[in-house]
Amino acid sequence: MGLNMVRRLQRAGVRCVAYDTRAEAREAAAGDGADTADSLPDLVAKLASPRAIWLMLPTAVVDAVLDELLPQLAAGDMLIDGGNSHYVDDLRRARRLQQRGVLYVDVGVSGGVWGKDRGYCQMIGGPVEAYRHLEPAFAALAPGVAAAPRSPGRQGEPTPAEHGYLHCGPNGAGHFVKMVHNGIEYGLMAAYAEGLNILHCANVGREQRAADAETAPLEHPEHYQYDFPLADVVELWRRGSVIGSWLLDLTAIELAADASLARYSGQVSDSGEGRWTAMAAIEEGVPAPVLTSALFSRFASRGNDVYADKLMSAMRHAFGGHEEKPAGG
Amino acid sequence: MGLNMVRRLQRAGVRCVAYDTRAEAREAAAGDGADTADSLPDLVAKLASPRAIWLMLPTAVVDAVLDELLPQLAAGDMLIDGGNSHYVDDLRRARRLQQRGVLYVDVGVSGGVWGKDRGYCQMIGGPVEAYRHLEPAFAALAPGVAAAPRSPGRQGEPTPAEHGYLHCGPNGAGHFVKMVHNGIEYGLMAAYAEGLNILHCANVGREQRAADAETAPLEHPEHYQYDFPLADVVELWRRGSVIGSWLLDLTAIELAADASLARYSGQVSDSGEGRWTAMAAIEEGVPAPVLTSALFSRFASRGNDVYADKLMSAMRHAFGGHEEKPAGG
Amino acid sequence: MGLNMVRRLQRAGVRCVAYDTRAEAREAAAGDGADTADSLPDLVAKLASPRAIWLMLPTAVVDAVLDELLPQLAAGDMLIDGGNSHYVDDLRRARRLQQRGVLYVDVGVSGGVWGKDRGYCQMIGGPVEAYRHLEPAFAALAPGVAAAPRSPGRQGEPTPAEHGYLHCGPNGAGHFVKMVHNGIEYGLMAAYAEGLNILHCANVGREQRAADAETAPLEHPEHYQYDFPLADVVELWRRGSVIGSWLLDLTAIELAADASLARYSGQVSDSGEGRWTAMAAIEEGVPAPVLTSALFSRFASRGNDVYADKLMSAMRHAFGGHEEKPAGG
Amino acid sequence: MGLNMVRRLQRAGVRCVAYDTRAEAREAAAGDGADTADSLPDLVAKLASPRAIWLMLPTAVVDAVLDELLPQLAAGDMLIDGGNSHYVDDLRRARRLQQRGVLYVDVGVSGGVWGKDRGYCQMIGGPVEAYRHLEPAFAALAPGVAAAPRSPGRQGEPTPAEHGYLHCGPNGAGHFVKMVHNGIEYGLMAAYAEGLNILHCANVGREQRAADAETAPLEHPEHYQYDFPLADVVELWRRGSVIGSWLLDLTAIELAADASLARYSGQVSDSGEGRWTAMAAIEEGVPAPVLTSALFSRFASRGNDVYADKLMSAMRHAFGGHEEKPAGG
């Protein structure tokens, strides 16, 4: 993702010095006209003061890189964490950097592999002076006003939010909003996935069903005789319906390629932000059953519910002598 | 909604005879160039054979209108139910009409108050011959190909789905797909609502909190000190983010008008389809925790959880002597 | 279950004529002193008027047996369905039997394989006159007053409910209460299962964890270093805790035998009533997120979530180029 | 709760020095034969070495009391936290006390207001030597072997778990198990509450219902005509059913007193452990939809879902022109 962001910045005339531990990534950046650095010290040396260093790293390694970078920075330098850090870590890091006069900026970046062309939606937290200094970079990365029709009621000069970047508040605010953004994303994805699964299984009335006390009867098999053309259904919903969205656009592409989704096994990863969103809801005392259910579905997709399921089978055996049946019922 | 559909049809050159029990609706249709009828018999009389009668009615009154209409129809006539009927009722009605040679078509229509200009997404079930006969009307109502960028991978002449209408299968298929569509809509709406509520409450660390055994401690009040500009956050997400959608566009309009949403009380209605979606999932044996949680949130918003809550307070009193605290904690 | 009920009835002096399609079941009943019948006509012939015929059958075959039995019955006879029928079917059957003057009684019976010794909890719906006639049988099957300490506040002659049987209302009332009883059972089982699974996985901090953007970081591995003795924990909770219950007693037995539950695969069946409970909640407009989540966990345990999970992996691939990781993360 | 524990200890011959900031509590303890202290220093002075000090405090004030106590303690002293602390705090406190040679023991105690007579179920974490030293006190507080029938399969000398106390592991283990215990408790309570609410609303078919597009139709009002005698139903379930439990016993008492539960408003507090359980599940990557739904129901009962509900009403207004209806639908 970092490489694509460099490309978009360079294209907009924002000069970058790119560093990546992998040589091929550095070469790719060079091929796009960026300067490159061979090491963190080299990167620091090649930047003019005040330096602005933008990190795009897995959450788990941010602190290690900060440890290495911090002694090389000077007061007034800016350090931007554009990865998916927990906003609580931002608060800690901001305090630490502040002791050396370094300004910390947390930016939640959405856009995925499409961002290079589509632009990046940026949720920004940190000191106003750093935000102002970096605004040209934010604007270059952002999708721009034309990316969506103007909301009725909005007037005058478009605001930064209408360009696709927003100063959300003090440190942590950027990653907090990005965290919730991703929490919502989990919910949206699960809503589509559950609904399409219901359509996918709308032919269960055709199956033969055991008539024993272990199998829930299907009272009206004649109601479940449909074979829906899912790729077309999703394509249809892209036009004029209430549930149109960019995620639906992507789903249409995937289903058009293979409606059976045979290349996927269904082990759905989660990368932290859905978890933090649920935990924030819990700490705030705010109900979030939809977002949390979506998260739990991912956990279950990876088999982390098996012991619980065995317990339920064990209880059924204990009180009713029920034996487990094979899968698929 | 019927009136707007008439307008869109007339505009596309599909001639309509409009009937509504309310005179002002009939007059409005006349003002748009449609013929009008004063009664159901008048409507039937004014249509040429084979007649195509499109009903836009609340679910609860469809059967009564059918009772009145059916004796007046002839073999080969077509009756289209474009409301939000349960697909199970379609199966029953289709059999009934078939006995008189009348063709029944169920159409799930999405588009809301915006459909007149934006077009209507139509999910169609019923006999192929009726679908073919009615296709010009479906095409006139549909948003059209230009309503969304073509999905990468789609080639050749655009399919009906790409225009915004789709023959989903035999009778019931249209309303089944619409039912699930609305079930998904509930899930999407709740995902945004829960996420924005978490942002809305991100300042709970500022509140004073009782230090007693009845109140969950907030271990890090310093983590919840944010006042997020929700209208701008939503506007921001419309550009470049993974969670952009039409529902988000609408939310941006509402929040730009009043981010406090003071004109709403939060009693959220449901009109049947979210319920049927959940029941279909249950009958199919398919998990739908997100869609069902979204539905239950609506039930709870209308106070239907109060007796359950009282029971939990009663149990807490019984085992721990806990007394209820006032709201808001 | 029918055989054990015969034993308990015989033991209490209530004479039974037992019929089962399997000869060994009939012989077992005979060995316990019951008369037996070789066929339904034989059963009908051997009973004195007014006959009371108690069915214990899988839901799916009740109507077929009724079809066969009904022509052989006389006005004033009583037909008791003690299986797990849907209460909606009771309403239909009661009307049908009433046309011949046969009284229909629906009884929800809880007790499982333990009922022979522990007694059966009976939830009864139907005409009062049939209930009165059958009360000696209900009393014989019931656990009796001594099965639980009297509730503080209850005075005077113990009510039938305190014996373990209750006339809950007109037809359907018995199976409605039993339906909800089983719905609650699903919720209780899942609550224990989820909690014990959390204890079971309390050592995840010991695992090595990938530090990539696909894996949610575990911020404090030192908090998850516990190996809990689950069999002892459950045994402990049986004494003095708020969560003691009969299901917990059974769980203690199972975990004492093998805390790894290796003999179970975790495919959890459901037999209908959890589904009907959820559907009743939905029709009533009453939130039931706990009971419904418990039901959906069972569906997921049988793999019925796989297509939904594949869809989520497909979306993640589409927007972020994420590849699936192997299970267990 | 502390006072009742003192009474139980004294009754068993375990001598206590009791301290409470409220004089009436100290006097009550003195009336039961305990020595009392007027202040923390007085308490420390009156205890022989090695001292064992058992705290029963709201979570939020434990650290403040530790700050005051710690300087007065000596190596080898034991400090027991019997309140509902978060196990993560135990880890921190244990390390801190260890620096002064003080042994920290975390004990989750279940039993509520009934514990004085029924005994306390104790989940213990900490150093083995402290556990051994304190075992007579644990045994005195515990319900004892006779509190539950022995589990089939258990043989030989009853284990501590069978008495009602258990050393669950190193520090934090006691409160971890107690945390999950309470998380399960939330799930059990919600399961009963939801089920009984479904029974409570089983007469919705009698209500008049609007036939408009805002109101979900009730397709079969004749299926919802029941007035269930809830107090009797719960009493019934106490005998012979699969869902018997101590919580059900308590519910029976409350419903016998007033089945309408008029004295409760339905604002259900939560005291932390349900939250921590959900967060532990999330950090472990383990699905806990039932326990988390139960927690969220409590949040919603206190009105913390209102802004989310307003958002859903606002979206419905935006896409469909829907106006909110008054409550109760």
Side-chain angles (χ1 to χ4, degrees):
Chain A
M1 192 152 163
L3 178 59
N4 281 337
M5 292 169 70
V6 166
R7 284 168 173 158
R8 194 169 170 96
L9 286 166
Q10 288 281 134
R11 228 190 279 156
V14 180
R15 266 204 58 234
C16 302
V17 184
Y19 172 64
D20 192 294
T21 52
R22 292 162 305 148
E24 65 273 24
R26 296 196 298 268
E27 283 155 26
D32 275 293
D35 286 341
T36 60
D38 291 334
S39 64
L40 285 181
D42 187 34
L43 175 70
V44 172
K46 282 181 169 156
L47 291 169
S49 279
R51 298 177 190 93
I53 301 182
W54 187 305
L55 307 179
M56 291 302 289
L57 297 167
T59 319
V61 302
V62 171
D63 279 314
V65 172
L66 274 189
D67 287 343
E68 196 179 337
L69 261 181
L70 191 50
Q72 311 176 41
L73 300 184
D77 286 350
M78 282 155 280
L79 209 139
I80 305 110
D81 178 9
N84 278 337
S85 289
H86 194 185
Y87 79 95
V88 170
D89 292 322
D90 292 328
L91 295 172
R92 177 176 49 77
R93 288 175 192 148
R95 276 194 307 273
R96 183 180 171 205
L97 270 63
Q98 202 177 15
Q99 289 165 2
R100 292 186 59 97
V102 176
L103 299 166
Y104 181 82
V105 180
D106 53 284
V107 186
V109 180
S110 183
V113 293
W114 301 70
K116 187 182 59 160
D117 299 317
R118 208 170 163 257
Y120 297 93
C121 178
Q122 296 156 86
M123 299 147 250
I124 304 158
V128 175
E129 61 268 33
Y131 165 73
R132 292 264 178 256
H133 182 86
L134 296 164
E135 196 165 356
F138 297 140
L141 288 168
V145 166
R150 193 158 211 200
S151 291
R154 291 252 173 198
Q155 291 171 333
E157 190 67 22
T159 61
E162 292 180 273
H163 286 268
Y165 64 96
L166 177 68
H167 185 236
C168 298
N171 272 125
H175 279 138
F176 196 112
V177 173
K178 178 56 162 43
M179 169 185 82
V180 171
H181 167 282
N182 281 31
I184 292 171
E185 179 189 305
Y186 282 33
L188 302 180
M189 289 169 67
Y192 287 121
E194 289 183 5
L196 291 169
N197 196 20
I198 295 170
L199 292 178
H200 178 68
C201 297
N203 59 4
V204 290
R206 296 225 186 91
E207 287 169 20
Q208 203 59 35
R209 229 177 158 84
D212 58 35
E214 294 304 286
T215 307
L218 180 58
E219 294 177 76
H220 294 288
E222 73 276 16
H223 295 172
Y224 297 96
Q225 302 280 342
Y226 297 106
D227 292 304
F228 291 115
L230 288 196
D232 285 335
V233 166
V234 168
E235 188 61 47
L236 170 72
W237 288 343
R238 296 182 64 222
R239 286 175 182 84
S241 102
V242 173
I243 65 171
S245 72
W246 191 56
L247 280 166
L248 190 70
D249 294 347
L250 299 176
T251 307
I253 299 172
E254 291 278 334
L255 288 175
D258 173 17
S260 76
L261 300 172
R263 63 165 288 198
Y264 301 103
S265 67
Q267 313 276 353
V268 193
S269 290
D270 77 288
S271 55
E273 283 163 314
R275 300 180 179 207
W276 301 327
T277 302
M279 291 194 271
I282 292 167
E283 293 201 325
E284 292 181 4
V286 158
V290 162
L291 306 190
T292 309
S293 292
L295 178 69
F296 288 149
S297 291
R298 295 192 177 198
F299 293 170
S301 81
R302 307 203 300 263
N304 296 350
D305 52 350
V306 171
Y307 190 75
D309 294 338
K310 289 182 175 188
L311 276 160
M312 290 193 281
S313 281
M315 289 185 221
R316 296 186 83 242
H317 178 261
F319 67 69
H322 302 287
E323 296 294 338
E324 290 185 329
K325 302 196 71 169
Chain B
M1 193 153 162
L3 178 59
N4 281 337
M5 291 169 70
V6 166
R7 284 169 174 158
R8 194 167 170 96
L9 286 165
Q10 288 280 134
R11 227 190 282 155
V14 180
R15 265 204 61 233
C16 302
V17 184
Y19 171 64
D20 192 294
T21 52
R22 291 162 306 148
E24 64 272 25
R26 295 197 298 270
E27 283 155 26
D32 276 291
D35 286 340
T36 60
D38 291 335
S39 64
L40 284 181
D42 187 33
L43 174 71
V44 172
K46 283 181 168 156
L47 290 170
S49 279
R51 298 178 190 92
I53 302 182
W54 187 306
L55 308 179
M56 291 302 290
L57 297 167
T59 317
V61 301
V62 172
D63 278 315
V65 173
L66 274 188
D67 286 344
E68 195 178 339
L69 261 181
L70 192 49
Q72 311 176 39
L73 300 185
D77 285 350
M78 281 155 282
L79 208 138
I80 305 111
D81 178 8
N84 278 335
S85 289
H86 194 185
Y87 79 96
V88 170
D89 291 324
D90 293 328
L91 295 172
R92 177 176 49 76
R93 289 173 191 149
R95 276 194 307 274
R96 184 180 172 205
L97 269 63
Q98 202 176 15
Q99 289 165 2
R100 293 185 59 96
V102 175
L103 299 167
Y104 181 81
V105 180
D106 52 284
V107 186
V109 180
S110 182
V113 292
W114 300 70
K116 186 183 60 162
D117 299 316
R118 207 170 163 257
Y120 297 94
C121 177
Q122 295 157 86
M123 298 147 252
I124 304 157
V128 174
E129 62 269 33
Y131 165 74
R132 293 265 177 256
H133 182 86
L134 296 164
E135 196 166 356
F138 298 140
L141 289 167
V145 166
R150 194 159 211 199
S151 291
R154 291 252 172 199
Q155 291 171 333
E157 189 67 21
T159 62
E162 292 181 274
H163 286 269
Y165 65 96
L166 177 68
H167 185 236
C168 299
N171 270 125
H175 279 139
F176 196 113
V177 173
K178 178 57 162 44
M179 168 185 84
V180 171
H181 168 281
N182 280 31
I184 292 172
E185 178 188 307
Y186 282 33
L188 302 180
M189 288 170 69
Y192 288 120
E194 290 183 5
L196 290 168
N197 196 19
I198 295 170
L199 292 178
H200 179 68
C201 297
N203 60 4
V204 290
R206 296 227 185 91
E207 287 168 20
Q208 204 58 34
R209 230 178 158 82
D212 58 35
E214 294 304 286
T215 307
L218 180 57
E219 293 178 76
H220 294 288
E222 72 275 16
H223 295 172
Y224 297 96
Q225 302 280 342
Y226 296 107
D227 292 305
F228 291 115
L230 288 196
D232 285 333
V233 166
V234 168
E235 188 60 49
L236 170 72
W237 287 343
R238 297 182 63 223
R239 286 174 182 84
S241 102
V242 173
I243 64 171
S245 72
W246 191 56
L247 280 166
L248 190 70
D249 294 347
L250 299 176
T251 307
I253 300 172
E254 290 280 332
L255 289 175
D258 173 17
S260 77
L261 301 171
R263 63 165 286 197
Y264 300 104
S265 68
Q267 314 275 354
V268 193
S269 291
D270 77 287
S271 56
E273 284 163 315
R275 301 180 178 208
W276 301 328
T277 302
M279 290 195 271
I282 292 167
E283 293 201 325
E284 293 181 4
V286 158
V290 161
L291 306 189
T292 309
S293 292
L295 179 69
F296 288 150
S297 291
R298 295 192 176 196
F299 293 170
S301 81
R302 307 203 300 262
N304 297 349
D305 52 351
V306 171
Y307 190 75
D309 294 339
K310 289 183 176 187
L311 275 159
M312 290 194 280
S313 282
M315 287 186 222
R316 296 186 82 242
H317 178 260
F319 66 71
H322 303 287
E323 296 294 338
E324 290 186 329
K325 302 196 71 168
Chain C
M1 193 152 162
L3 178 58
N4 282 337
M5 291 169 71
V6 166
R7 283 169 173 158
R8 195 170 170 94
L9 286 165
Q10 288 281 133
R11 227 190 282 157
V14 180
R15 266 205 58 234
C16 303
V17 184
Y19 171 63
D20 192 293
T21 52
R22 292 162 305 149
E24 64 273 25
R26 296 196 298 269
E27 283 155 26
D32 276 293
D35 285 341
T36 60
D38 291 335
S39 64
L40 285 180
D42 187 33
L43 175 70
V44 172
K46 283 182 168 153
L47 291 169
S49 280
R51 298 178 190 91
I53 302 182
W54 186 306
L55 307 179
M56 291 302 290
L57 296 168
T59 318
V61 302
V62 171
D63 278 316
V65 173
L66 274 188
D67 286 344
E68 197 179 336
L69 261 180
L70 192 49
Q72 311 176 40
L73 300 184
D77 285 349
M78 283 156 280
L79 208 138
I80 305 111
D81 178 7
N84 278 336
S85 289
H86 194 184
Y87 79 95
V88 170
D89 292 322
D90 293 328
L91 295 171
R92 178 176 48 77
R93 289 174 192 148
R95 276 193 307 274
R96 185 181 170 205
L97 270 63
Q98 202 176 15
Q99 289 165 1
R100 291 185 60 96
V102 175
L103 298 166
Y104 181 81
V105 180
D106 53 284
V107 186
V109 180
S110 182
V113 292
W114 300 71
K116 187 183 59 161
D117 300 316
R118 207 169 163 257
Y120 297 93
C121 177
Q122 296 156 86
M123 298 148 251
I124 303 157
V128 175
E129 62 269 34
Y131 165 74
R132 293 263 178 257
H133 183 86
L134 296 165
E135 195 165 358
F138 298 141
L141 288 168
V145 166
R150 194 159 211 198
S151 291
R154 291 253 172 198
Q155 291 171 332
E157 189 67 20
T159 61
E162 293 180 275
H163 285 268
Y165 65 95
L166 177 68
H167 185 235
C168 299
N171 271 124
H175 279 139
F176 196 113
V177 173
K178 178 57 163 43
M179 169 185 83
V180 171
H181 168 282
N182 280 31
I184 292 172
E185 178 190 305
Y186 282 34
L188 302 181
M189 288 170 68
Y192 287 120
E194 290 183 4
L196 290 169
N197 196 20
I198 295 170
L199 292 178
H200 179 67
C201 297
N203 60 3
V204 290
R206 296 226 185 92
E207 286 169 20
Q208 204 58 34
R209 230 178 158 83
D212 59 35
E214 294 304 287
T215 307
L218 180 56
E219 294 179 74
H220 294 288
E222 72 276 16
H223 295 173
Y224 297 96
Q225 302 280 342
Y226 297 106
D227 292 304
F228 291 116
L230 289 196
D232 285 334
V233 166
V234 168
E235 188 60 49
L236 171 71
W237 287 344
R238 297 182 63 224
R239 286 176 182 83
S241 102
V242 172
I243 64 172
S245 72
W246 191 56
L247 280 166
L248 190 70
D249 295 347
L250 298 176
T251 306
I253 299 173
E254 290 280 333
L255 289 175
D258 173 17
S260 76
L261 301 172
R263 64 165 286 198
Y264 301 103
S265 67
Q267 314 276 353
V268 193
S269 291
D270 77 286
S271 56
E273 284 164 314
R275 300 179 179 208
W276 301 328
T277 303
M279 290 195 272
I282 292 167
E283 294 201 324
E284 293 180 3
V286 158
V290 161
L291 305 190
T292 309
S293 292
L295 179 68
F296 287 150
S297 291
R298 295 191 176 198
F299 292 170
S301 82
R302 307 202 301 262
N304 296 351
D305 52 351
V306 171
Y307 190 75
D309 293 338
K310 289 183 176 188
L311 275 159
M312 289 194 282
S313 281
M315 288 186 221
R316 296 187 81 241
H317 178 260
F319 66 70
H322 302 287
E323 296 294 339
E324 290 185 330
K325 301 196 72 169
Chain D
M1 193 153 162
L3 178 60
N4 281 337
M5 291 169 71
V6 165
R7 283 169 173 158
R8 195 169 170 94
L9 285 166
Q10 288 281 133
R11 227 190 282 157
V14 180
R15 268 205 57 234
C16 303
V17 183
Y19 172 65
D20 192 294
T21 52
R22 292 162 305 147
E24 64 273 25
R26 295 197 298 269
E27 283 155 26
D32 276 294
D35 286 341
T36 60
D38 291 336
S39 64
L40 284 181
D42 187 33
L43 174 71
V44 171
K46 282 181 170 155
L47 291 170
S49 279
R51 298 176 189 93
I53 302 181
W54 187 305
L55 308 177
M56 292 303 289
L57 298 167
T59 317
V61 302
V62 171
D63 279 315
V65 173
L66 273 189
D67 287 344
E68 196 179 338
L69 260 181
L70 191 49
Q72 311 176 40
L73 300 184
D77 286 350
M78 282 155 280
L79 208 140
I80 304 110
D81 178 9
N84 278 337
S85 289
H86 194 186
Y87 79 95
V88 170
D89 291 324
D90 293 328
L91 295 172
R92 177 176 50 75
R93 288 174 192 149
R95 274 195 307 274
R96 183 180 172 205
L97 270 62
Q98 201 176 14
Q99 289 165 3
R100 293 186 59 97
V102 175
L103 298 167
Y104 181 81
V105 180
D106 52 284
V107 186
V109 181
S110 183
V113 293
W114 301 70
K116 188 182 59 159
D117 299 317
R118 208 171 163 256
Y120 296 94
C121 177
Q122 296 157 86
M123 298 146 252
I124 304 158
V128 175
E129 62 269 34
Y131 165 73
R132 292 264 177 257
H133 183 86
L134 296 164
E135 196 165 355
F138 298 141
L141 289 167
V145 166
R150 194 159 210 199
S151 291
R154 291 252 172 199
Q155 291 171 333
E157 190 67 20
T159 62
E162 293 181 274
H163 285 269
Y165 64 96
L166 178 67
H167 185 236
C168 298
N171 271 125
H175 279 137
F176 196 111
V177 173
K178 177 57 161 45
M179 168 185 84
V180 171
H181 167 282
N182 281 31
I184 292 172
E185 178 188 306
Y186 281 35
L188 302 181
M189 288 170 69
Y192 287 120
E194 290 183 5
L196 290 168
N197 196 20
I198 295 170
L199 293 178
H200 179 68
C201 297
N203 60 2
V204 290
R206 296 226 186 91
E207 289 169 19
Q208 203 59 34
R209 228 176 159 85
D212 58 34
E214 294 303 288
T215 307
L218 180 57
E219 293 178 75
H220 293 289
E222 72 275 17
H223 295 172
Y224 297 96
Q225 302 279 344
Y226 296 106
D227 292 304
F228 291 115
L230 288 196
D232 285 334
V233 166
V234 168
E235 187 61 48
L236 170 72
W237 287 344
R238 296 182 65 224
R239 287 175 181 83
S241 102
V242 173
I243 64 171
S245 73
W246 191 56
L247 280 166
L248 190 70
D249 294 348
L250 299 175
T251 307
I253 300 173
E254 290 279 333
L255 289 175
D258 173 17
S260 76
L261 301 172
R263 62 165 288 197
Y264 300 103
S265 67
Q267 314 275 353
V268 193
S269 291
D270 77 288
S271 55
E273 284 163 314
R275 300 181 178 206
W276 301 328
T277 302
M279 290 194 271
I282 291 167
E283 293 202 325
E284 293 181 5
V286 158
V290 162
L291 305 190
T292 309
S293 293
L295 179 68
F296 287 150
S297 291
R298 294 191 177 198
F299 293 170
S301 81
R302 307 203 300 262
N304 296 350
D305 52 350
V306 171
Y307 190 75
D309 293 338
K310 289 183 175 186
L311 276 160
M312 290 193 282
S313 281
M315 288 185 222
R316 296 187 82 241
H317 179 261
F319 67 71
H322 302 288
E323 296 294 340
E324 291 186 330
K325 302 195 70 168

